[in-house]
Amino acid sequence: MQAQATSPRSGLWIKLAGLAVVAVIAAVAFFKVNAGNAAPDVTFTKLDGERVALKDLRGKVVMVNFWATSCTTCVGEMPQMIETYNKFKDRGLDFVAVAMSYDPPNYVLNYTETRKLPFKVALDNQDKLANAFGDVKLTPTTFVIGKDGNIIKRYVGEPQFAELHQLLEKALAAA
């Protein structure tokens, strides 16, 4: 008895099916790894030199705001950022304002003290934090990070604060 030879056409279909399976597996792996857009594993250095690891804030909703004292929109939104922090801090919101590398540290310190910023203020002297968050160049850029450590939302420019507050309400209520 002679074995049936596979036609070139059926061989092509087998190869295409195999390629499709590989593509599906790769896509599933990609989306599983990137599901929820995990926040980067970074450590902030506050103005007083204290180091705060983002992973240590897990279990809280965290806002990370990249800003500069020379940015008029940043300065303009800061009073509302303070109000937002004060409104939600007792419910589990934490906040880190990250000054961009080009912002002179003495300007940041002066601004922080004269405006009595109630949240953590960190310096990003070497752009490590900005790079870790996707190469942030535009200010203000604000990230809202859920209790699970995943980025929920990124705002470039001043957020619509009513929308931001609704998002925080939902994130803080999540288990």
Side-chain angles (χ1 to χ4, degrees), residues 13-54:
W13 281 110
I14 291 170
K15 288 177 183 173
L16 286 175
L19 188 60
V21 168
V22 169
V24 167
I25 291 169
V28 168
F30 173 81
F31 287 113
K32 187 172 184 180
V33 169
N34 292 299
N37 299 319
D41 184 13
V42 296
T43 299
F44 304 102
T45 302
K46 293 175 28 182
L47 293 175
D48 63 6
E50 180 187 353
R51 295 171 58 82
V52 178
L54 185 56

Side-chain angles (χ1 to χ4, degrees), residues 99-111:
M100 298 297 283
S101 63
Y102 53 81
D103 210 356
N106 58 327
Y107 286 26
V108 176
L109 181 60
N110 179 55
Y111 186 92

